Amino acid sequence: MGLTLLWLVPLLPLVGAILNGVLAGTLPRKMVSAIGVGSVGLSLAIAVACFGDLLALPPESRRVTQGLFTWIQSGDFHAEVRYALDPLGAVMMLVVTGVGFLIHVYSTGYMGHEKAYGRYFSYLNLFTFSMLTLVLADNFLLMFLGWEAVGLCSYLLIGFWYQRPAAAEAGKKAFVVNRIGDWGFLLGIFLIFVTFGSVDFATVFTQAPQRLAVGSAVATAIALLLFLGATGKSAQLPLYVWLPDAMEGPTPVSALIHAATMVTAGVYMVARCHIFYLLSPPALQVVAIVGILTALFAATIGLVQNDIKRVLAYSTISQLGYMFVGCGVGAFASGIFHLMTHAFFKALLFLGAGSVIHALSGEQDLWKMGGLKAHLPWTHATFLIATLAIAGVFPFAGFFSKDEILYQAWLRGGPLLWMAGVIGAFMTAFYMFRLYFLTFHGRSRVPQEAKHHLHESPNSMTGPLMILAVLSVIGGFVQVPILAGGQRLDQFLEPVFADAVDLAPAAHAASAAGAEVGLMVISLVVALMGIFVAYKFYVADPELPRRLAEQMRGAYRLVFNKYWVDEIYESFVVQPIYQGSVRLWERFDAAVIDGAVNGVGRQIERGAELLRLAQTGYVQVYALILTLGAVVLIGYLALR
Amino acid sequence: MGEAILFTLFSLSAVAFALGMVFRRNAVHCALHLVGVLLSLSGMFVLLHAQFIAAIQILVYAGAIMVLFLFVVMLLNVKGETPLLTPGSAKGFGFFFAFIAFVELLWIVVSQGGTEGEPAPVPALPPNFGSPAEIGKILYTTWLFPFEVTSILLMIAVVGAVVLAKRKFA
Amino acid sequence: MGSMGVPTEYYQLVAALLFTIGLIGVLVRRSALIIFMSIELMLNAVNLSFVAFSRQHGQMDGQIFVFFVMAVAAAEVAVGLAILVAIFRNRETASVDEVHLLKG
C-alpha cells in the first residue's frame, strides 16, 4: 500500500504550501497550523509506510520508481517527473519528513506571535516539498529542480523578516553564493547529458563504469563540477560564507534548512553520484581535503564567536566537513550515517537555542546569558544531550557516526587525515561546551528587564526537543561498530553502494577490531579533554579566556574576525564585480546600447517624417502609384 | 460570318459607349453610356456561349446596379463638373500610365496568340455550354463554398451600406 | 463549325481597350461617382476576358468567376455609394480632389 502512495510524500507539503500561500491572511492561525503541520505529518506517515514496504522487499530489489508524467521531451532529450525510492533516498526521506515534522510542530510555538504566520508555514511546506523532490528524484534534472527550489525557499526564509536590512542582505548573499555552486552543478549535468545522452540516474550510473575509465578526465570533470555544486549548497570552503549570515532567519528555519536538511543536500548528492567520485581518485581526494579543511577552519572560528546561533552555524559547517571527509575516503555510508545523526542533534541544538532565545525575548549574545539551567529545565536537559552527542561522547549518536568517519579516515585516508579529524573533534567538544557553559551555567548575565520574562517554552516547543533528544541518544545504535551484525544502516544502504566495493580506494591500514576500539578510545578521550578544557575556561576560572586572548592577541583577532574571509571576498570579488558592473552600465549599456537603440529610433523618426510627404490625401495620387506598380509588375511578367 | 458581324458591331458600340462614359460631363449621361457598354457586353457574352451570364449581366448590372447609380446621382444632384478632369500633373501621368498599361496588355495578347501569328482556333462546344442548368450544376457542387461566402459578403455589404448611409451616426 | 468563330484574341483586345478606358476614367476624372462607374467598366472588361477564355478552354469555371465578380461588384457599389452619400452629406462635394483631409 505504502509504495503506491510514494508520490504523495512530496505532494502533500506542496498542497499545504499552496493552501497556506493562497489563503494567507484569511485563515485563522489554528487552521494554518493544521494545514502546515498536518500535511507534513501525513507525509511522514506515508513515508514511514513506504519505508516499511521497502524493508519488506528483498535487498537487491529495493529500488522502486513511480513516474508521474513526462516533463520535457525534445529530440534526444527526455526528462520525466519520476520519483524513486531506494535505501539512500529512504534515509533522506525519513530524516526530512521526521525532523521536518518536529520542526513544524515547534514552529507553531516559536512563531506563535508572528504576524505573517501563513506565509511562514507556506514557505516551510514549500521547502519540505522541494527537499523531498531533491532526495526522491529519479533523474538529475528533477533533482536540480528540487535543488534550486530549496535554494529559493532558503532565500525566502532567511529573508523572512525582510524589513530588517541584515536579513534581506543575508538572503541575497545566500542566493548569490549558492548560484556559483549551482552553476557548477548545472555544468556537471550538461556534461553528464553530453557523455551519456541521458539524465536518468539508473542509465547514467549503470553506464558510467563501462563508459568511463578510472581516472579519466571526463569522470574527474563531472565529479568536480558536481562537487562545486555541493560546496555551495553544503557550505564548504570556499563557498561557506553564506551559512553564518543565514542565521538571520527564524531559528526553526535555521534548524530545518541550515542544519538538518538542505545543507546536507550536497552530501546526499555526492553519495548519490558516488560512482563518478570512485571513477576519479583525484576528485575523491579533493572532496576529502576540502572536507577536512572546512571542518578545521570552521571549528577554529566557532571557538570564539559570541552569537549563539553563529557558533552553531560554524559547527554545522564543520560537521558537514566531516561528512565530506567520510565521502572523500569512499565511505559514503559513513557520511550518510553522520548526516542522519547530525540532523537529530543539530536540529535539537538549534531548537534548544531557539527556546533560549525565545525565553530571553530575542537575545542571542552568549555574554548576556548564563545560569539559565534553573529557569529552563527541559531546554537545558535536551540541550545537554545534544551537546554531548555532537561532542562525541559515548553512547550518544554523534559518538558512533563521528568515530566511524574518523575510523574510515584512518583506514583509507591515512593517519594525517585522522589526526586532523581528531583535532577538529577536540575543538568541537570545546566550543560546544563553551556554548553550553556560557548559556546554562555560571553567574547570570541576563539584563534585569529580560529576567522578568524568563519562562520555559510551551509544550509545542519542548515536545519536539524531547523527541529529538531521544533520537540523539539512540540514533547511533542503528550502526554499532565491531559488533557482528550491528551495522544495520550499512547493510540497508549496501545495495546503493554495492558497485562501490571494487572501486573503493584501497585501505591504507588493515581493518581490525582492535585498532577500531583503540581509535574510539582516543577520540573519546579527546572529546572529554575538550569538555574539561571548556569547563576550566568558562566555569572554574572565567578570567582565563580573557588572559589567553591577551597573550595570543594576533591569533585571537584572526579567528575572531573569521579570518577576514568576508572582507577579502568583499574587496577581491564583490567590489571588482560591482565596480566593473557600474562601468559597464555607464560606458556600455548607457552609451553603446542605449545609444544604438535611441539612434535607430531617431533615424526612423526622421525617415518617417520624409516618407510622410508621400501621403498627400489625394485618392488619385494613390491610384496613380498603384497603377505604376501594376504597370511595372505586368511589364516584368510580359517581357520576362 | 454572322458572329463576326455581330462581334464587330458590339465591340465598336462598347468602346464608343465607354469613351462617352469617361468623357461626358453630365453624370446622368455617363451612367446611361455605361448602360450601353453593359448591354453591348451582354451581347458579346451571348456570342461566347454564356447565355446565363448575359442574362444576369442585364438583370444585375444594367438593372440593379445602374439603377442604384442613377438613384445616387439624383440624390446628390451633382451639377456638371466645371473642370472635367483633375487639375495638375496627375492627369498627365494618368493618361501616360494608362497608355503604357494598354501597350503591355496588347503585347501580352499578341504574344500569347497561336504560333506564327495565327489566332488559336476556337474549339467546338457542347450545345448546352453556358446554359443555366450547367452553370447551376457546377455552382452548387464545385463552387458551393465560395458561393456561400459570397452570400455572406453581400449581407455584410448591405448592413455596411445601411450603417454608412444613415443620417447621423454618433 | 470549329474555326468559324471569332478568335479569342479579338475579344481580349476589346477587353484590353475597355479596361484601359476605365483606367483612364479612374485616374483623371474628378467626380467620385464617375470613378465608380469607371471601376465598373474595368470589372466588365475583365468579365469579358473571363468569358472569352471560358469558351476557349471549353470550361465553365470562367463564367462562374464572372458570377462572383458581379456579386463583389454589387457589394462594392452598395458600400461605395453609401460612403459617397455620407461624404456628400458632410462636405457638399463629390470631387475627390476636394476630399484630402487624411494626409501626413
Side-chain angles (χ1 to χ4, degrees):
Chain A
M1 194 277 283
L3 284 173
T4 52
L5 296 179
L6 179 63
W7 59 284
L8 280 176
V9 176
L11 194 77
L12 283 171
L14 178 64
V15 172
I18 292 171
L19 279 180
N20 268 339
V22 172
L23 303 176
T26 62
L27 289 177
R29 269 160 200 264
K30 285 227 159 79
M31 199 65 197
V32 172
S33 315
I35 293 173
V37 176
S39 62
V40 179
L42 221 59
S43 174
L44 170 64
I46 298 172
V48 170
C50 286
F51 178 67
D53 283 10
L54 196 69
L55 278 183
L57 295 173
E60 59 279 0
S61 60
R62 280 183 190 160
R63 188 172 193 283
V64 185
T65 61
Q66 192 171 46
L68 296 187
F69 55 91
T70 299
W71 183 14
I72 299 171
Q73 169 80 67
S74 166
D76 292 339
F77 185 77
H78 186 85
E80 296 261 345
V81 172
R82 191 167 56 207
Y83 289 117
L85 189 69
D86 66 351
L88 178 58
V91 171
M92 293 300 293
M93 176 179 75
L94 287 178
V95 169
V96 172
T97 51
V99 177
F101 173 68
L102 291 175
I103 290 171
H104 274 74
V105 173
Y106 179 93
S107 294
T108 59
Y110 188 85
M111 300 297 280
H113 310 301
E114 178 59 46
K115 254 201 280 188
Y117 194 64
R119 179 163 64 96
Y120 174 80
F121 271 98
S122 174
Y123 289 168
L124 215 55
N125 275 6
L126 185 63
F127 169 78
T128 312
F129 158 73
S130 314
M131 190 70 201
L132 287 167
T133 301
L134 199 169
V135 299
L136 293 177
D138 192 38
N139 59 49
F140 278 101
L141 207 66
L142 190 60
M143 188 189 194
F144 187 71
L145 175 83
W147 186 271
E148 289 295 308
V150 292
L152 169 71
C153 297
S154 157
Y155 163 78
L156 291 173
L157 284 165
I158 294 170
F160 181 73
W161 289 309
Y162 54 84
Q163 304 90 334
R164 294 202 325 228
E169 279 293 314
K172 196 169 77 185
K173 187 173 179 182
F175 204 72
V176 171
V177 173
N178 263 300
R179 193 89 306 106
I180 300 170
D182 297 347
W183 170 77
F185 189 17
L186 203 53
L187 284 187
I189 295 175
F190 290 162
L191 194 52
I192 286 169
F193 179 68
V194 168
T195 313
F196 299 98
S198 169
V199 290
D200 268 2
F201 283 158
T203 320
V204 171
F205 293 148
T206 46
Q207 288 188 359
Q210 300 145 25
R211 292 263 194 103
L212 302 173
V214 174
S216 68
V218 176
T220 307
I222 291 174
L224 287 179
L225 285 171
L226 293 181
F227 184 59
L228 180 59
T231 57
K233 196 60 82 195
S234 291
Q236 297 295 292
L237 282 174
L239 298 179
Y240 73 93
V241 287
W242 64 273
L243 188 56
D245 287 9
M247 296 304 131
E248 291 293 338
T251 306
V253 169
S254 307
L256 179 61
I257 301 187
H258 305 119
T261 53
M262 184 191 84
V263 288
T264 61
V267 181
Y268 165 75
M269 190 254 276
V270 169
R272 175 63 76 199
C273 308
H274 61 275
I275 199 81
F276 290 119
Y277 293 90
L278 294 173
L279 286 171
S280 164
L284 201 60
Q285 225 152 27
V286 168
V287 174
I289 290 168
V290 168
I292 194 68
L293 285 180
T294 310
L296 290 176
F297 184 81
T300 54
I301 298 176
L303 294 176
V304 295
Q305 294 301 308
N306 293 328
D307 182 313
I308 185 168
K309 284 179 73 181
R310 283 191 182 247
V311 175
L312 292 175
Y314 281 105
S315 143
T316 304
I317 298 172
S318 172
Q319 297 302 311
L320 288 166
Y322 277 106
M323 297 174 206
F324 279 112
V325 170
C327 294
V329 296
F332 298 100
S334 310
I336 295 297
F337 180 35
H338 195 52
L339 185 161
M340 187 186 85
T341 59
H342 176 259
F344 298 151
F345 58 68
K346 187 50 70 64
L348 176 52
L349 284 169
F350 266 110
L351 295 185
S355 178
V356 169
I357 295 166
H358 193 71
L360 294 176
S361 317
E363 186 54 62
Q364 301 195 6
D365 191 342
L366 285 175
W367 296 100
K368 292 185 179 157
M369 296 177 183
L372 295 177
K373 184 178 167 186
H375 301 283
L376 307 170
W378 284 111
T379 307
H380 164 256
T382 51
F383 201 89
L384 177 61
I385 290 170
T387 315
L388 286 169
I390 192 174
V393 174
F394 183 82
F396 297 96
F399 169 78
F400 294 102
S401 59
K402 191 188 284 180
D403 267 310
E404 183 162 313
I405 286 177
L406 289 178
Y407 173 61
Q408 296 286 353
W410 167 273
L411 211 60
R412 308 196 207 178
L416 200 63
L417 195 63
W418 174 81
M419 196 64 209
V422 169
I423 292 170
F426 171 76
M427 287 195 282
T428 306
F430 174 78
Y431 67 69
M432 281 316 299
F433 269 89
R434 167 179 177 269
L435 178 71
Y436 166 73
F437 288 136
L438 283 178
T439 309
F440 292 101
H441 290 265
R443 194 169 45 78
S444 174
R445 298 175 300 276
V446 181
Q448 275 309 314
E449 68 270 28
K451 242 178 191 161
H452 299 303
H453 304 297
L454 262 182
H455 59 284
E456 178 61 288
S457 303
N459 289 339
S460 59
M461 287 165 69
T462 48
L465 289 181
M466 287 174 224
I467 297 172
L468 282 170
V470 171
L471 287 172
S472 300
V473 176
I474 62 167
F477 288 99
V478 298
Q479 176 81 335
V480 182
I482 309 164
L483 232 70
Q487 286 92 336
R488 288 199 202 86
L489 187 69
D490 259 0
Q491 286 159 13
F492 181 58
L493 290 175
E494 209 245 310
V496 180
F497 299 120
D499 47 355
V501 174
D502 43 337
L503 282 165
H508 285 276
S511 164
E516 197 170 354
V517 173
L519 294 174
M520 279 161 101
V521 170
I522 291 175
S523 63
L524 185 58
V525 168
V526 163
L528 291 173
M529 261 166 61
I531 296 170
F532 175 71
V533 174
Y535 177 77
K536 192 98 184 128
F537 270 41
Y538 295 99
V539 181
D541 186 2
E543 286 304 306
L544 191 58
R546 199 157 302 139
R547 286 207 302 278
L548 200 66
E550 291 289 319
Q551 275 171 18
M552 302 166 61
R553 180 181 286 272
Y556 179 77
R557 282 186 51 203
L558 181 67
V559 181
F560 183 74
N561 289 304
K562 301 165 264 177
Y563 298 92
W564 285 287
V565 169
D566 276 328
E567 286 75 7
I568 291 169
Y569 281 2
E570 175 73 19
S571 51
F572 286 98
V573 181
V574 179
Q575 279 303 324
I577 289 176
Y578 181 77
Q579 297 297 344
S581 305
V582 169
R583 295 262 149 82
L584 273 178
W585 162 51
E586 282 169 347
R587 305 224 176 117
F588 188 71
D589 193 79
V592 179
I593 294 184
D594 288 5
V597 171
N598 292 337
V600 167
R602 220 169 291 134
Q603 290 313 313
I604 287 176
E605 201 180 318
R606 227 169 270 168
E609 235 153 65
L610 283 177
L611 208 61
R612 206 173 69 146
L613 300 177
Q615 195 179 355
T616 56
Y618 291 100
V619 181
Q620 278 176 319
V621 174
Y622 306 153
L624 264 181
I625 294 168
L626 187 70
T627 312
L628 176 64
V631 163
V632 169
L633 268 181
I634 295 171
Y636 170 73
L637 291 172
L639 302 174
R640 192 165 47 142
Chain B
M1 255 341 258
E3 192 196 344
I5 294 166
L6 285 173
F7 169 74
T8 317
L9 200 64
F10 286 141
S11 58
L12 283 178
S13 72
V15 172
F17 277 128
L19 285 170
M21 186 215 89
V22 170
F23 293 110
R24 287 299 284 252
R25 197 172 289 269
N26 190 316
V28 178
H29 292 180
C30 291
L32 291 176
H33 276 99
L34 184 55
V35 173
V37 177
L38 298 176
L39 292 177
S40 311
L41 282 179
S42 165
M44 279 204 250
F45 289 164
V46 175
L47 294 184
L48 287 167
H49 299 268
Q51 304 89 335
F52 176 68
I53 297 297
I56 61 168
Q57 170 88 353
I58 291 172
L59 285 175
V60 175
Y61 253 122
I65 296 181
M66 287 322 297
V67 168
L68 195 59
F69 265 105
L70 286 170
F71 188 68
V72 172
V73 169
M74 283 180 255
L75 183 76
L76 303 188
N77 194 18
V78 196
K79 310 281 183 304
E81 295 167 63
T82 20
L84 182 68
L85 306 179
T86 43
S89 53
K91 99 187 124 198
F93 277 114
F95 280 116
F96 179 61
F97 286 161
F99 176 70
I100 295 177
F102 180 65
V103 171
E104 281 172 355
L105 292 176
L106 213 58
W107 169 261
I108 290 171
V109 171
V110 170
S111 68
Q112 303 245 317
T115 44
E116 287 135 43
E118 284 292 308
V122 178
L125 293 170
N128 57 354
F129 187 83
S131 70
E134 291 299 304
I135 295 272
K137 225 178 265 171
I138 56 170
L139 189 60
Y140 291 112
T141 53
T142 321
W143 298 95
L144 182 62
F145 183 68
F147 179 73
E148 295 296 338
V149 173
T150 309
S151 69
I152 294 172
L153 176 78
L154 282 171
M155 191 183 69
I156 293 169
V158 168
V159 173
V162 169
V163 170
L164 281 169
K166 260 192 342 195
R167 191 147 287 275
K168 282 286 170 199
F169 42 96
Chain C
M1 52 193 254
S3 58
M4 287 289 284
V6 176
T8 306
E9 280 78 4
Y10 292 3
Y11 287 100
Q12 302 301 344
L13 281 180
V14 176
L17 203 54
L18 291 176
F19 186 85
T20 311
I21 295 169
L23 184 60
I24 290 171
V26 170
L27 290 180
V28 305
R29 287 295 296 249
R30 292 178 67 216
S31 166
L33 210 53
I34 310 298
I35 288 176
F36 266 117
M37 292 183 197
S38 302
I39 291 173
E40 295 306 313
L41 182 58
M42 288 167 79
L43 288 171
N44 269 284
V46 174
N47 281 355
L48 177 59
S49 176
F50 269 130
V51 174
F53 278 127
S54 166
R55 183 193 62 161
Q56 178 69 35
H57 296 291
Q59 283 186 329
M60 278 185 293
D61 295 334
Q63 299 190 11
I64 299 289
F65 283 172
V66 172
F67 180 82
F68 288 134
V69 170
M70 280 184 193
V72 172
E76 178 229 317
V77 166
V79 176
L81 288 179
I83 292 173
L84 203 60
V85 169
I87 291 175
F88 192 81
R89 189 180 298 138
N90 287 321
R91 306 284 309 257
E92 291 292 328
T93 180
S95 295
V96 286
D97 56 334
E98 288 172 38
V99 184
H100 56 93
L101 277 182
L102 187 67
K103 65 181 173 191

